[in-house]
Amino acid sequence: MRATRDGAAASGRRPAGALLLGEAPPLCGALAEDAAALARHTENGERLLERLPAPPDRDAEQRRLAASVFASCRQTREQFMRRHADEVYDVLTEGCVRRYRLSELVFAAATRFPGLVPTRVQVDAEGALIQADKEGREIDQGIFFRGILRSPAAGAHLADTMLLASPRALALIDGFRRDGRADLGAVLVERRNGAGHLTVRNYHCLNAEDNALVEAMETAVDLVLLDEGVRVGVVRGGVMTHPRYEGRRVFSAGINLSDLRNGRISFVEFLLRRELTYVSKLLRGLLLPPGEATFAASSLHKPWVAAVDSFAIGGGMQLLLVCDRVIAADDAFFSLPAAQEGIVPGAGNLRLGRLTGARLARRIILSGKRIRATDSEADLVCDEVVPGHAMDAAVESAVEELDSPAVSANRAMLALAEESPDQFRTYMAEFAFTQACRLYGEDVISKVDRAWSRSRARERPRA
């Protein structure tokens, strides 16, 4: 019998670990009693896991035992969240008075409801390991966030919280208003003639996305939306120093597979935060806190231009789905290879079909079809294709065309018509759990390890 990473057994026979741990406790429906039962059951599970070797050193029987322990504990966590998501969220946020961002919320839950999610110590310990050597405790965070996000009340409050300006942006906004420039490392933000230009500069990996880039992108988008001197936002890749594309601009190479293989892609701070913060803010705008909101405006909306040089892969292509004008160089291409990598392409599954139609969306997402800027289908994902040397002029023209209060108002209404907040919240609830499981899928770990090995082989000097 083979056990999968998410703890589901491949046969109906109950493994020995389930007998040692005992049956998942029945929940009575009262929060305090159910929380105590959850804590007892998961504590027993942790004691069993402590007797086992580290994951890479386990034999087949020990892997089956660990999988059965996690499966039993996760079943209890899932039942607990189905019954108590709103109560849990109310306790953590003091009746929705406090607004916790993702990491704050999940680690507060670890303290207040022992056994519900991994502690900070457990998450930090896993973060020091390569992906293949982890227990997969982020799956438990996925169960938690699925429960919160599928609640219309708690999920909406959390989604709104993530649309507020980030603490880092609030600390930097006065300087940006004064100087019109913020160097965030992986992203440079500049105000030029009423446009906020975000230049992505993750040079070492062809603008692939990693934890640091997600942090920088949210801050950059916030600064553009907060600055009254900016009326249109522009996202473009910088000029690369990487040997393969030296001297050329690149939009995005998608998720950094080397970081994924090496265990440095955070489920909460990358995969969830990305979708719920800056990608959502590009589409829905920046939510104003109650003290700043007025009867006339509860959020800040601005149109966005995406300028695609070379390629927009994975997360790069996902950004195009929420921008108002997409300009591509005639040698560029677009792709969403997440299914080939084994993961879910963010909210691409929710949004791509609205632009391309269902059949083409399936070929792009499920089969990895690339769209070149010169293909007939390209006008479904971009608005204008120009020679590389004409990109600067095309961007300036698009900024001028979109620089209107009426454009901002109408693009906000278009976003609401195309994707309601409840539709997005419901999608993200299932995304949270599915993506967490996919991070630990055996196929994903094998694929990223092979990609990492090939990359290392290319980097080795020849004799």
Side-chain angles (χ1 to χ4, degrees):
M1 181 179 66
R2 180 179 59 82
T4 60
R5 278 271 178 169
D6 63 3
S11 82
R13 183 169 66 85
R14 185 170 61 177
L19 298 175
L20 290 171
L21 181 57
E23 298 290 345
L27 302 182
C28 67
L31 178 63
E33 287 85 345
D34 287 351
L38 170 68
R40 287 192 300 270
H41 189 62
T42 56
E43 184 178 2
N44 290 337
E46 291 298 327
R47 290 198 187 102
L48 285 174
L49 293 172
E50 287 172 2
R51 300 175 191 171
L52 298 175
D57 301 325
R58 293 171 187 165
D59 60 26
E61 180 60 29
Q62 290 166 338
R63 289 195 296 272
R64 285 193 289 269
L65 171 56
S68 69
V69 169
F70 277 115
S72 181
C73 292
R74 284 169 183 158
Q75 180 64 27
T76 306
R77 292 179 180 115
E78 169 64 15
Q79 292 175 353
F80 181 84
M81 288 304 296
R82 280 191 179 274
R83 286 175 176 262
H84 300 297
D86 283 318
E87 293 171 282
V88 166
Y89 193 78
D90 279 348
V91 168
L92 297 176
T93 62
E94 299 175 12
C96 293
V97 172
R98 303 190 67 170
R99 287 196 177 272
Y100 280 127
R101 287 170 63 87
L102 298 172
S103 285
E104 296 170 325
L105 183 69
V106 77
F107 289 129
T111 300
R112 178 61 180 79
F113 297 97
L116 179 56
V117 287
T119 65
R120 189 182 294 274
V121 170
Q122 289 174 318
V123 172
D124 288 346
E126 293 245 296
L129 304 174
I130 66 171
Q131 199 72 6
D133 290 352
K134 298 182 181 184
E135 294 278 19
R137 294 184 182 276
E138 289 172 313
I139 295 172
D140 302 315
Q141 295 178 325
I143 292 171
F144 172 79
F145 281 112
R146 176 169 66 175
I148 297 298
L149 287 166
R150 67 186 167 197
S151 161
H157 189 269
L158 177 59
D160 281 353
T161 296
M162 301 311 293
L163 290 177
L164 294 167
S166 66
R168 187 182 181 193
L170 292 174
L172 294 174
I173 185 58
D174 288 342
F176 183 70
R177 285 172 173 144
R178 180 187 65 245
D179 303 330
R181 189 178 191 276
D183 187 341
L184 306 174
V187 179
L188 175 66
V189 195
E190 299 172 290
R191 182 180 63 240
R192 302 198 299 265
N193 300 321
H197 291 263
L198 278 60
T199 304
V200 184
R201 308 183 304 176
N202 231 13
Y203 296 132
H204 69 285
C205 55
L206 297 177
N207 282 343
E209 294 179 307
D210 52 27
N211 287 0
L213 183 57
V214 169
E215 162 78 20
M217 281 295 290
E218 184 188 1
T219 305
V221 169
D222 286 352
L223 292 176
V224 166
L225 291 170
L226 287 168
D227 182 16
E228 299 84 355
V230 172
R231 298 180 298 279
V232 180
V234 178
V235 182
R236 192 175 185 185
V239 178
M240 295 292 102
T241 58
H242 192 286
R244 290 170 58 191
Y245 284 84
E246 187 171 5
R248 295 179 57 186
R249 288 183 182 267
V250 165
F251 191 73
S252 173
I255 192 171
N256 189 319
L257 295 178
S258 292
D259 274 11
L260 179 54
R261 182 265 178 194
N262 290 324
R264 295 198 292 263
I265 293 296
S266 167
F267 166 67
V268 171
E269 283 299 311
F270 181 132
L271 294 165
L272 274 188
R273 177 181 178 180
R274 180 185 185 277
E275 303 304 320
L276 288 166
T277 61
Y278 75 87
V279 179
S280 284
K281 290 171 182 177
L282 291 172
L283 180 67
R284 304 184 190 284
L286 188 75
L287 190 67
L288 293 170
E292 298 177 24
T294 69
F295 76 94
S298 60
S299 57
L300 299 172
H301 290 265
K302 293 174 185 178
W304 289 89
V305 177
V308 181
D309 300 274
S310 300
F311 45 76
I313 299 173
M317 185 174 180
Q318 293 167 36
L319 289 183
L320 310 185
L321 309 181
V322 295
C323 287
D324 303 289
R325 183 68 54 84
V326 178
I327 302 165
D330 56 9
D331 61 349
F333 70 85
F334 321 97
S335 70
L336 282 176
Q340 288 68 53
E341 296 161 355
I343 58 176
V344 179
N349 294 332
L350 175 64
R351 294 168 177 149
L352 182 63
R354 291 201 298 263
L355 299 180
T356 65
R359 302 318 314 172
L360 180 56
R362 279 169 167 76
R363 292 201 298 275
I364 293 170
I365 292 172
L366 303 182
S367 302
K369 177 180 173 61
R370 286 185 175 184
I371 304 292
R372 298 194 175 276
T374 51
D375 290 346
S376 59
E377 305 100 327
D379 62 355
L380 299 175
V381 293
C382 69
D383 301 285
E384 187 177 0
V385 177
V386 301
H389 64 80
M391 285 288 286
D392 290 347
V395 169
E396 290 180 11
S397 178
V399 167
E400 183 178 351
E401 184 177 339
L402 295 175
D403 186 1
S404 165
V407 168
S408 294
N410 278 283
R411 56 97 56 195
M413 297 302 291
L414 282 169
L416 183 61
E418 292 172 351
E419 180 184 301
S420 72
D422 274 348
Q423 183 185 23
F424 174 68
R425 174 187 54 77
T426 302
Y427 176 91
M428 285 303 300
E430 296 311 310
F431 170 83
F433 177 70
T434 301
Q435 189 75 305
C437 291
R438 284 281 75 215
L439 283 179
Y440 296 93
E442 294 175 4
D443 59 323
V444 173
I445 289 171
S446 296
K447 288 173 182 177
V448 298
D449 192 63
R450 288 196 299 270
W452 179 81
S453 297
R454 289 194 299 268
S455 175
R456 295 280 297 218
R458 286 196 298 267
E459 292 172 1
R460 281 197 293 267
R462 296 180 180 179

